[in-house]
Amino acid sequence: MTRAQMPDPSGPNVRFKQLGQPLRRTDAPGKVSGKTMYAGDFAMPGMLHAKVVRANLASARLRRLDVSKARALEGVACVLTAADMPDRLAATDIPGQTGQKRLKTDSQILVRERVRYFGEPIALIAAISRDIAERAAALVEFDLEPLPGVYDPEEALKPGAPLVQGTDNCVAEHKIRKGNVEEGFARADFIVENTFRTPFQEHAFLEPEVGLAWVDENEVVNIRVSTQVIEHFRSIAEAIGVPHNKVRILGALVGGGFGGKEDLTVEVYLALLARHTGRPVRLEYSREDSFVGHGKRHPFKLTYRTGVTKDGKITALDVRAIADAGAYVYLSPYVLLYCAVAAPGPYRVDNLNVHMRAAATNNMFTSAFRGFGGMQACAAYEQQMDEIAKRIGMDRLELRRRNLLETGEPISTGFVPPSAIWTDRCLEQAWAALGEPTPSHGSLRTGRGVAVYQQSYGRLTFLHDSSEAWVGVEVDGTVVVRSGVTDIGAGQASALGQIVAEVLGVSLDNVVIYNSDSAVTPLAGTTTATRGLYMTGNAAKRAAEAVRARLVARAAQAFGAGVAEVELAFDKAFRVDAPERSMSFVDLVKLCASEGIHRSELAMFRAPFTDFLDPETGQGQAHPDYTFGAHAVEVSVDIETGEVRVLKSVGAHDVGQCVNRAAVEGQIEGGAQNGQGYALSEEMLYREGRLVTPSFSEYLTPTSMDMPKVQCILLESRSGIGPFGAKGIGEPALTAVAPAIANAVADAIGVRVFEMPITPERVVRALQGR
């Protein structure tokens, strides 16, 4: 889309009947009344309860495993070890919808010989009760021979380091080259260099991993599970050695995912135990199991070296970064690529050099987490911008204004986003919304910070992503939507209903949505990468438009009018120029049904297909499009105790076009909470790979008492490539929060804490070091 084609924001608003309204989501009544069935609420007669036995060392060789006592315990139905199953692996990367070949990132299902991280599964138990399963787990005997481990990613890449993966522990590497960096630095009046560290982060979802599996009369393994990806049926089938059509995933509404349920969690274990016992099996992780049982956010060390003129223009940028992949590869190559693409942020950098690596260690494996890669990059580039402003004596907002990308300009990879870039508008509005500063008093120092961002929505374009949706109209006028999309709490399913309601001119109450069943709903792809609305929303819109076209054609015939003269709205069909010429939606549907006019459609939406980025320069297209926005905060810091309190929090984002205003505001508020914890309190501590903060009593997430009221400012450029010009907001809502808080803390105390989370101890040390 060129600048000339961009919607005029000063022009008349688009008139929508359903879109943009804060309608009651279709999942709201069940959740509010307590009638919603989550995966953990399902049970079956005669079901068994499962338990995972885990390694208590991070790097070791399994010398002996004896499960005889556990098997002999009364009430135990099954104990499985690696010796009881084929030497298969579990897929840890998700294939594209079109069957694109996966990365070679598989991990062992159960330890066969080598333990690579603390908590790696060694055995599976199924028993008639949870208590008996726990007792049986305590009876499993194993001897682990400690092996030298490596727990620092920089150490892991040195020659002679203990090998965790491959021949050198380097599991991913990405470069971006643009312009001439040395010439750019030569033109600079100042060169500013800083190193920033971002931490592991736990997803901390309310609902831990849980599922129920059974084998039906057709030998199909059915798994009712809390997941972000029903397409895992393929990986499960390959892991247990059955055809793909012999595994069915039924996704329940998810009690929080944030990327933590993007990977396989309990599914393979459930499938194996159900097949071996022939009985239903339920597995629910305890909170401690969850802490050691799924991947975390990648910690990064990022070094930024920026050349800048005295009038604030960036002349060159060199970025070096290293990420901790943990014991298995999982999504590290993708996370690293996202970080590399986002490294300069939403800024004009003509001379750019980015080099990033991910190293395998004996720490917990790291994988998907809301905003992966882009969030870590933003934490670095936005703190760096404040440090540059301080060094050259320029207002930090003005420095940003002078370097922000404008609509139609290329990003780091040379790709020109097809939508509007309204970062400047978001920056101005977020900052202005902070209002008058809160005065400092006593030992409390008040500071303000802001951060802008560039965050992708939609999966990497070389994955050839696609999504399907089915829309049909029953004879009584009710509308049915079928989609494989998983709803992880953000209203993904309800949004499809609102889109279809808008197209067909009916109320949302007249729409029912069936989703998340790999056997009977069209496959929609993953609920990841802020792709749900973009991909499945577009598919649902296409399907609804096809149905609408047939209905409108028949109404036009009845009215003696052209198709363009007929509208569907307010549960009616009518002539635009003569509204009295109308019929109810129900009557129109009945008329079409009586004449055999097709009233349903299965549609597919395909994302842009591109080749891989150039491996040496990183030039090309990586993502379909990007969201831009800003977050501003005000904090109070106690310089005696180091305690930080967020007083004001404002998110301003160009969402393209709102589908459901209340849902979008909910995403922004949730992102503010998630980012605040990342910035200030959520710290995972490992000692030689062993997690020493394995519960919410040590791992501190912000509570309602810690959160200020979050102000949401929604801009609508209507330029996105989602339905009706929408952009994604699920991950972008989070991206800029942590660096905005870090900048506010630095503003308050006059010195920067270069490592997150910014705990009271780190604040006090920074003040002492000043």
Side-chain angles (χ1 to χ4, degrees):
M1 188 180 291
T2 66
R3 188 179 301 205
Q5 295 171 308
M6 291 293 176
D8 180 6
S10 63
N13 288 333
V14 178
R15 291 184 176 272
F16 291 122
K17 289 80 178 176
Q18 303 282 335
L19 236 62
Q21 302 300 316
L23 302 183
R24 185 182 70 181
R25 283 172 21 185
T26 56
D27 58 319
K31 289 180 175 178
V32 171
S33 65
K35 294 178 181 178
T36 294
M37 295 281 283
Y38 289 89
D41 295 321
F42 289 88
M44 295 181 73
M47 73 178 183
L48 301 171
H49 296 264
K51 175 70 178 176
V52 180
V53 180
R54 301 180 182 277
N56 56 9
L57 293 177
S59 182
R61 181 174 288 110
L62 180 59
R63 284 302 191 187
R64 183 181 72 94
L65 176 58
D66 185 351
V67 297
S68 58
K69 293 179 181 177
R71 283 176 172 156
L73 182 66
E74 185 177 356
V76 171
C78 181
V79 179
L80 294 179
T81 69
D84 300 308
M85 62 187 72
D87 192 8
R88 292 180 177 273
L89 300 174
T92 55
D93 182 40
I94 303 163
Q97 283 297 94
T98 53
Q100 285 285 99
K101 186 177 180 180
R102 293 185 298 103
L103 294 168
K104 293 186 179 297
T105 63
D106 296 347
S107 64
Q108 57 186 345
I109 299 171
L110 296 174
V111 171
R112 190 166 291 273
E113 179 182 353
R114 172 80 186 276
V115 173
R116 289 182 172 85
Y117 68 91
F118 176 83
E120 189 161 12
I122 290 178
L124 304 175
I125 295 171
I128 60 174
S129 72
R130 292 182 65 172
D131 287 344
I132 293 176
E134 294 276 358
R135 288 166 54 196
L139 294 174
V140 173
E141 299 176 359
F142 55 87
D143 292 333
L144 297 180
E145 176 191 350
L147 295 175
V150 60
Y151 307 100
D152 180 281
E154 289 183 287
E155 294 297 320
L157 294 179
K158 291 180 179 178
L163 287 180
V164 184
Q165 293 290 343
T167 58
D168 59 3
N169 288 330
C170 185
V171 299
E173 183 175 18
H174 288 297
K175 302 174 184 177
I176 294 181
R177 303 279 188 272
K178 190 177 180 182
N180 189 315
V181 172
E182 293 308 315
E183 287 185 6
F185 280 122
R187 296 202 312 272
D189 296 311
F190 301 90
I191 295 177
V192 180
E193 181 173 340
N194 289 294
T195 296
F196 307 94
R197 293 179 181 272
T198 66
F200 288 98
Q201 189 180 19
E202 160 65 26
H203 299 81
F205 27 67
L206 287 176
E207 173 199 39
E209 297 86 338
V210 62
L212 173 68
W214 68 97
V215 181
D216 65 22
E217 66 277 8
N218 297 313
E219 297 301 314
V220 173
V221 180
N222 297 267
I223 309 175
R224 174 75 72 176
V225 67
S226 178
T227 181
Q228 296 179 228
V229 186
I230 64 169
E231 280 81 355
H232 277 322
F233 72 87
R234 303 184 183 114
S235 300
I236 298 164
E238 292 179 11
I240 66 175
V242 300
H244 288 187
N245 65 0
K246 291 298 183 181
V247 176
R248 177 187 184 185
I249 299 293
L250 300 97
L253 282 172
V254 178
F258 314 111
K261 295 169 185 172
E262 175 175 339
D263 300 311
L264 287 166
T265 57
V266 298
E267 295 95 324
V268 173
Y269 307 144
L270 285 167
L272 287 167
L273 290 170
R275 276 172 54 82
H276 274 78
T277 63
R279 294 172 63 177
V281 180
R282 182 182 186 274
L283 172 57
E284 178 182 353
Y285 281 178
S286 66
R287 184 59 63 183
E288 289 74 15
D289 270 329
S290 183
F291 263 84
V292 300
H294 71 257
K296 312 305 173 192
R297 188 186 294 281
H298 287 70
F300 269 76
K301 177 183 178 183
L302 306 104
T303 298
Y304 271 63
R305 184 168 177 255
T306 310
V308 61
T309 63
K310 56 188 175 185
D311 62 350
K313 295 293 182 67
I314 295 173
T315 63
L317 175 62
D318 181 84
V319 180
R320 307 281 166 162
I322 185 169
D324 190 341
Y328 288 100
V329 180
Y330 279 76
L331 298 182
S332 291
Y334 295 160
V335 174
L336 201 71
L337 178 56
Y338 276 64
C339 192
V341 171
Y347 297 110
R348 192 181 303 107
V349 181
D350 296 325
N351 302 301
L352 176 65
N353 178 33
V354 178
H355 185 201
M356 296 189 172
R357 294 176 295 168
T361 69
N362 290 110
N363 293 322
M364 182 64 189
F365 64 86
T366 48
S367 192
F369 200 130
R370 187 181 189 182
F372 67 46
M375 183 176 175
Q376 290 96 327
C378 186
Y381 63 68
E382 279 304 272
Q383 291 190 80
Q384 178 76 342
M385 290 300 284
D386 265 29
E387 290 299 301
I388 293 169
K390 181 179 177 181
R391 174 75 179 275
I392 69 175
M394 179 176 285
D395 176 79
R396 47 192 168 166
L397 269 68
E398 181 59 28
L399 175 68
R400 288 173 169 82
R401 292 188 197 101
R402 295 188 182 192
N403 292 283
L404 283 173
L405 289 170
E406 296 182 359
T407 301
E409 291 187 320
I411 64 168
S412 60
T413 66
F415 170 66
V416 177
S419 65
I421 300 177
W422 280 10
T423 323
D424 54 346
R425 304 181 191 205
C426 296
L427 172 64
E428 299 298 333
Q429 294 197 33
W431 188 256
L434 288 178
E436 290 298 316
T438 302
S440 298
H441 62 90
S443 63
L444 300 179
R445 300 289 184 270
T446 301
R448 290 184 161 191
V450 71
V452 297
Y453 71 87
Q454 166 193 303
Q455 181 74 46
S456 61
Y457 62 97
R459 296 183 74 196
L460 293 161
T461 49
F462 56 71
L463 294 177
H464 296 191
D465 201 9
S466 64
S467 185
E468 297 178 56
W470 183 95
V471 174
V473 184
E474 299 295 342
V475 178
D476 64 354
T478 53
V479 178
V480 179
V481 180
R482 302 183 194 275
S483 169
V485 69
T486 51
D487 193 316
I488 62 174
Q492 284 86 355
S494 185
L496 301 185
Q498 201 160 343
I499 290 166
V500 171
E502 179 68 39
V503 172
L504 294 180
V506 300
S507 65
L508 184 57
D509 290 339
N510 201 38
V511 181
V512 65
I513 303 119
Y514 296 100
N515 68 298
S516 304
D517 186 333
S518 67
V520 299
T521 54
L523 296 181
T526 66
T527 301
T528 66
T530 313
R531 68 176 289 282
L533 178 64
Y534 161 53
M535 294 296 299
T536 311
N538 271 327
K541 182 171 179 283
R542 286 188 176 185
E545 287 171 341
V547 174
R548 182 185 189 280
R550 299 184 194 113
L551 297 177
V552 166
R554 185 62 186 87
Q557 180 185 343
F559 299 150
V563 169
E565 300 173 274
V566 174
E567 179 64 283
L568 298 182
F570 312 112
D571 295 306
K572 295 192 299 183
F574 55 90
R575 283 187 62 155
V576 175
D577 59 343
E580 68 277 4
R581 297 291 306 276
S582 67
M583 71 171 75
S584 70
F585 185 77
V586 174
D587 288 341
L588 175 58
V589 171
K590 289 179 178 178
L591 178 61
C592 291
S594 68
E595 296 179 0
I597 296 173
H598 199 45
R599 294 163 288 106
S600 66
E601 182 77 12
L602 174 65
M604 174 181 280
F605 177 76
R606 295 179 177 85
F609 290 3
T610 66
D611 294 328
F612 289 89
L613 299 179
D614 184 284
E616 289 302 315
T617 67
Q619 296 301 288
Q621 182 178 356
H623 302 100
D625 193 24
Y626 299 86
T627 300
F628 299 86
H631 203 93
V633 299
E634 182 180 80
V635 303
S636 173
V637 184
D638 189 324
I639 59 173
E640 293 182 353
T641 66
E643 181 183 7
V644 179
R645 188 161 189 82
V646 179
L647 306 176
K648 299 177 184 178
S649 188
V650 183
H653 308 266
D654 172 23
V655 299
Q657 168 62 54
C658 254
V659 173
N660 186 308
R661 180 168 292 271
V664 171
E665 290 176 348
Q667 286 294 289
I668 295 170
E669 291 164 358
Q673 185 270 349
N674 203 176
Q676 184 171 319
Y678 186 65
L680 297 177
S681 62
E682 296 183 27
E683 187 167 29
M684 306 198 76
L685 298 177
Y686 288 90
R687 187 173 296 122
E688 291 195 341
R690 182 187 182 97
L691 180 65
V692 295
T693 53
S695 73
F696 289 153
S697 61
E698 303 96 359
Y699 184 83
L700 306 178
T701 61
T703 69
S704 59
M705 300 298 291
D706 301 309
M707 292 298 299
K709 180 182 171 73
V710 178
Q711 184 174 347
C712 305
I713 300 173
L714 308 183
L715 285 74
E716 295 181 296
S717 66
R718 301 191 177 91
S719 66
I721 57 176
F724 303 101
K727 292 190 174 192
I729 191 60
E731 292 176 294
L734 166 69
T735 303
V737 178
I741 292 173
N743 286 338
V745 172
D747 181 53
I749 66 175
V751 63
R752 183 166 299 279
V753 179
F754 288 92
E755 181 175 3
M756 293 181 182
I758 304 170
T759 60
E761 293 84 357
R762 291 191 173 112
V763 171
V764 170
R765 282 199 296 268
L767 286 167
Q768 291 171 343
R770 183 176 59 177

